[in-house]
Amino acid sequence: MIAGIAGVTVLGATACSGNGAASGPEASSGGKPSGSITVYNAQHEELTQAWADEFTKETGVKVTLRNGDDSELGNQLVQEGSASKADVFLTENSPAISLVDNAGLFTAVDADTLAQVPAQFQPSSGNWTGIAARSTVFAYNPALLTEDQLPASLLDLADPSWKGRWAASPSGADFQAIVSAMLAVKGESATSAWLTAMKSNTVVYKGNSTVMKAINAGEIPGGVIYHYYWFGDQAGTGENSDSTKLHYFKNQDPGAFLSLSGGGVLKSSPNPVAAQAFLAFITGKAGQTILQTGTSFEYPIADGVSANPALLPISDLDAPKIDPSKLNSTKVTDLMTQAGLL
């Protein structure tokens, strides 16, 4: 682990461009990282703390985390605007970071950092980058649903036959990101109709973990969650998931949506050198290996770092191809409010 981290540190300090000039986060931002940074963090606290600890160990830069959820911190940054003292913003889902990007508050991510991340995990704007990913899944109780009864598409859950037979947590940023993907793939009319049907059909819980527990307890046959809740519970006692299985929609269905966690550097950052270096670290091999071997069970997205062996490989998910910068959180909340889900 330490060898890999050292490799990333050296890369940031010594990488050269074609004309022999130094490049990378440290050089392009003005020198060696030092001092301190403040990270507005909507990612898993344990994961980001592990990233921060290793980054501090390697660079001496102190990292202060301000933890919150996607919507809270994204809206806070928009409110703070150019007066914000945040250096970096990390999210669980991309709509919140797109909100900040659309407000013009990010500076461009350094080219060497973007080079570590495949294009499919970057927004077209280039102002932030993916740092991790999570897959949409349909968790179900096989005592209540057989495989031949599973929905072929997320859209199937709008059928009246599913009334009272599936659960979700519509108030959470996770589910709203999934709806944002449906909006991007199917358009506003289809999404609005699906949400109206969802209002009639779904049983509402607060939080993906609560949805999974209800399915496990036999309260409800199935529900839409992100994959890592199930794998995290299985890695522990399994008491909230042992009576459940996961169904992957695949086929580039909206229900196969692979949500990107994002990271970006604020234009107003008091310490852009260290901020860019931190983003380079977490998207590099060392930072992504921390993700791979940790307990969040999210997908690494950097070149050369595979997923935890327990997970279905990203290539097998057959997720829809969506530009994450096009995911619209404001429109989604408007549509969900109109449908009576928020």
Side-chain angles (χ1 to χ4, degrees):
M1 175 71 73
I2 298 301
I5 294 168
V8 168
T9 304
V10 170
L11 176 63
T14 64
C16 294
S17 62
N19 62 9
S23 62
E26 297 173 6
S28 63
S29 299
K32 185 177 180 180
S34 61
S36 63
I37 58 173
T38 297
V39 176
Y40 278 29
N41 176 53
Q43 244 295 342
H44 292 137
E45 293 181 23
E46 184 177 350
L47 170 61
T48 307
Q49 189 64 62
W51 277 336
D53 290 344
E54 288 294 343
F55 180 70
T56 298
K57 182 178 179 181
E58 288 300 314
T59 65
V61 174
K62 178 184 177 182
V63 180
T64 298
L65 303 182
R66 177 178 172 180
N67 297 309
D69 65 30
D70 278 351
S71 299
E72 172 197 353
L73 293 179
N75 285 310
Q76 181 67 38
L77 283 168
V78 170
Q79 182 180 19
E80 291 173 356
S82 61
S84 179
K85 299 303 182 184
D87 296 283
V88 176
F89 182 33
L90 303 182
T91 65
E92 283 197 325
N93 299 284
S94 52
I97 201 166
S98 290
L99 179 72
V100 177
D101 190 11
N102 291 338
L105 299 178
F106 286 130
T107 190
V109 176
D110 281 333
D112 281 359
T113 299
L114 293 178
Q116 299 179 143
V117 180
Q120 72 187 94
F121 302 128
Q122 298 177 25
S124 57
S125 70
N127 292 331
W128 57 274
T129 181
I131 59 173
R134 61 276 303 281
S135 176
T136 310
V137 295
F138 186 78
Y140 69 100
N141 189 318
L144 301 176
L145 278 178
T146 59
E147 288 189 14
D148 63 331
Q149 295 173 322
L150 293 172
S153 167
L154 188 65
L155 277 72
D156 291 348
L157 297 174
D159 190 272
S161 64
W162 281 98
K163 184 176 179 63
R165 301 177 64 224
W166 72 282
S169 176
S171 64
D174 288 353
F175 191 82
Q176 290 169 27
I178 295 168
V179 177
S180 188
M182 180 176 286
L183 179 63
V185 174
K186 297 297 182 181
E188 182 173 340
S189 178
T191 301
S192 179
W194 187 84
L195 290 171
T196 298
M198 176 184 168
K199 172 63 176 175
S200 296
N201 288 354
T202 193
V203 177
V204 171
Y205 291 88
K206 187 168 180 61
N208 282 309
S209 294
T210 309
V211 170
M212 185 176 68
K213 290 177 183 178
I215 298 165
N216 191 69
E219 295 175 15
I220 193 84
V224 177
I225 63 172
Y226 279 152
H227 79 280
Y228 65 87
Y229 290 93
W230 191 89
F231 284 97
D233 191 70
Q234 284 287 296
T237 64
E239 63 184 319
N240 297 314
S241 61
D242 275 347
S243 295
T244 69
K245 292 184 178 180
L246 297 184
H247 170 55
Y248 293 84
F249 289 101
K250 301 186 179 182
N251 301 312
Q252 298 187 39
D253 188 80
F257 173 54
L258 188 69
S259 181
L260 279 186
S261 300
V265 174
L266 281 301
K267 283 181 181 178
S268 58
S269 167
N271 192 349
V273 175
Q276 292 280 5
F278 180 70
L279 195 57
F281 171 77
I282 66 175
T283 56
K285 186 173 182 180
Q288 293 287 287
T289 300
I290 290 172
L291 170 59
Q292 176 201 53
T293 59
T295 58
S296 75
F297 287 94
E298 293 175 275
Y299 284 97
I301 47 79
D303 281 323
V305 181
S306 60
N308 184 300
L311 305 183
L312 193 70
I314 282 183
S315 59
D316 292 348
L317 297 174
D318 196 17
K321 295 175 174 60
I322 301 172
D323 179 352
S325 66
K326 304 301 183 184
L327 298 180
N328 191 326
S329 59
T330 302
K331 186 64 176 179
V332 163
T333 54
D334 287 346
L335 290 174
M336 293 182 71
T337 299
Q338 291 168 19
L341 291 163
L342 295 179

